[in-house]
Amino acid sequence: SQGLSVLVGLGLCVTMLGLGCAVELGQLGQQLRRPVGLLLALLGQFVAMPLLAFLLALIFALDEVAAVAVLICGCCPGGNLSNLMSVLVDGDMNLSIIMTASSTLLALFLMPLCLWIYSRHWINTAVVQLLPLGAVSLTLGSTLLPIGLGVLIRYRHPRAADLLVKISLWSLLVTLVVLFILTGTMLGPDLLAQIPASVYAIAVLMPLAGYALGYGLATVFKMPPHCRRTVSLETGCQNVQLCTAILKLTFSPELIGSMYMFPLLYVLFQSAEAGLFVLAYKMYGRDSYKQDTLGEEEDTDISYKKLKEEEVADTSYGTVTTDEHNSIQMQPTQTAL
């Protein structure tokens, strides 16, 4: 148990450090002047996803322990997996990083608020009465230090920051694999057998619905296709390291039980569905995206050529003609503008 706690804490710190290293102060200032990314992160991570988690918990009639685990995962900010996936689908990397960073900062205040609001349905149960909102806030606050350190490293040492970003992405994969192995070795298949089928169904449906909600949200804002793909991935990808840390560090094993495994199941299906998203884009969407981009460029060239042809300036204000009686007449002509 202590080894898992240390591993989860270190993995979370490295991930947040990598997130800070990916943020540039110039881009951050630009996004604050036009806070579209901030607004999308707010709507996606703290309006759409918590409501989705709450509705799924009601639809599948989860007990209070499973419902709290699902709610905590749904209220978490965006994760680093979305940044990697955005690169693979030719998305807007700056938008993805800003959404991840801003949702992480907003989570310090909004995540406890969302948990308090949506857990009211199970308020009479022991697990909700003992829901440690203060510990959740403390865990969130502890992530600010590595984020701030990462931003400072990016400002002072850009090359080192690039290396740390790559290390954080690899540490994300390694940490999740090690957690699966350690949990499976220590607790065996009995733990997975204790998880209800409804929880497995939510682990499959929740990220898929998150991707769809994010794409619809970006469509409402009339964003270009590459930004829609970015917002879609950013909304459906939750920070499962943070969810795991909250469940592991703030709840006793006797209280949370097998639901400790929910964020690991979530990231498994979240990654698989995002991988299918990337595969579909590589097979079908990429060529059409290039054709659309080429078509826009050709239309621009044609319009430019046509405009240049029409810009034939006629400097004559009229022509002089003579009639049979040697009289001179002025016949005005229309000047082409």
Side-chain angles (χ1 to χ4, degrees), residues 233-295:
L233 291 169
E234 189 66 34
T235 304
C237 290
Q238 305 299 98
N239 191 336
V240 291
Q241 304 98 301
L242 179 60
C243 182
T244 304
I246 290 174
L247 292 176
K248 187 71 179 67
L249 303 177
T250 60
F251 289 97
S252 64
E254 296 81 8
L255 187 62
I256 199 64
S258 61
M259 286 302 102
Y260 165 72
M261 290 292 294
F262 178 76
L264 300 179
L265 292 176
Y266 186 91
V267 74
L268 177 63
F269 292 110
Q270 167 186 276
S271 303
E273 292 166 3
L276 293 176
F277 189 167
V278 173
L279 181 62
Y281 172 74
K282 296 292 186 182
M283 293 178 62
Y284 304 105
R286 195 167 192 175
D287 293 336
S288 62
Y289 176 67
K290 289 181 178 179
Q291 290 176 1
D292 292 341
T293 305
L294 181 60

Side-chain angles (χ1 to χ4, degrees), residues 137-196:
S137 300
L138 183 62
T139 305
L140 289 167
S142 65
T143 63
L144 298 181
L145 181 59
I147 291 176
L149 179 60
V151 173
L152 180 61
I153 293 175
R154 166 61 66 181
Y155 180 72
R156 295 288 183 86
H157 308 285
R159 292 184 178 179
D162 293 335
L163 179 61
L164 287 173
V165 169
K166 296 178 181 179
I167 292 175
S168 68
L169 291 175
W170 280 107
S171 70
L172 167 63
L173 300 177
V174 172
T175 301
L176 293 175
V177 171
V178 172
L179 281 175
F180 270 114
I181 295 174
L182 289 180
T183 305
T185 303
M186 294 171 59
L187 302 174
D190 294 337
L191 183 66
L192 294 176
Q194 294 176 7
I195 300 176

Side-chain angles (χ1 to χ4, degrees), residues 4 39 45-46 51 74 87 97 109 113 121 126 135 139 148 176 198 213 239 254 321 323 332 337:
L4 284 176
L39 180 59
Q45 299 296 346
F46 301 109
L51 180 59
V87 174
I97 293 174
F109 307 100
L113 176 61
H121 183 76
T139 305
L176 293 175
S198 57
L213 286 173
N239 191 336
E254 296 81 8
T321 59
D323 56 11
L337 297 179

Side-chain angles (χ1 to χ4, degrees), residues 316-323 326-333:
S316 63
Y317 291 92
T319 56
V320 179
T321 59
T322 58
D323 56 11
N326 295 328
S327 62
I328 298 175
Q329 295 180 352
M330 292 289 296
Q331 296 181 356
T333 60

